[in-house]
Amino acid sequence: LVAGNLIFEDGIGAAQLAYRNATEPTFWNGWLGSLHAWSGILILLMVLLRLFLRLVHGVPAPPPGDSKDMQKIASLVVLAFYVLLLGMPATGIIAYYFQEFWVGEIHQWGAF
């Protein structure tokens, strides 16, 4: 879903531009924009489910033989993924559904 949203982002950009200019997006851009938005919502729901499962079942044990430094780096990478996988859908929802276009710029920047 993440890869699909990165590849097919043009539709949502064109739809947002049309909304910003108070016009209707084309059918194709509207469809791709909706697909992008719903994929983002699904990503958000799946990440929230994963966080719930981590709370209930705990965190997997680190591989044997990993140094403490490697474990800290791995924890930071996991945290960064969670921040992105929660932050990107949240900023996308705010930008698309609440038409806060400045948040959309943060959302675009986060895609990089």
Side-chain angles (χ1 to χ4, degrees), residues 8 44 55:
F8 298 110
L44 179 62
L55 287 173

Side-chain angles (χ1 to χ4, degrees), residues 12-48:
I12 192 118
Q16 278 293 86
L17 185 61
Y19 294 138
R20 188 179 295 176
N21 294 330
T23 60
E24 285 291 317
T26 65
F27 171 79
W28 185 247
N29 287 334
W31 187 83
L32 284 176
S34 292
L35 181 65
H36 182 95
W38 281 103
S39 294
I41 291 169
L42 186 56
I43 290 167
L44 179 62
L45 293 174
M46 290 170 60
V47 172
L48 291 173

Side-chain angles (χ1 to χ4, degrees), residues 61-76:
D66 272 0
S67 69
K68 294 290 182 193
D69 290 337
M70 186 59 74
Q71 290 176 15
K72 287 179 187 176
I73 292 169
S75 294
L76 288 173

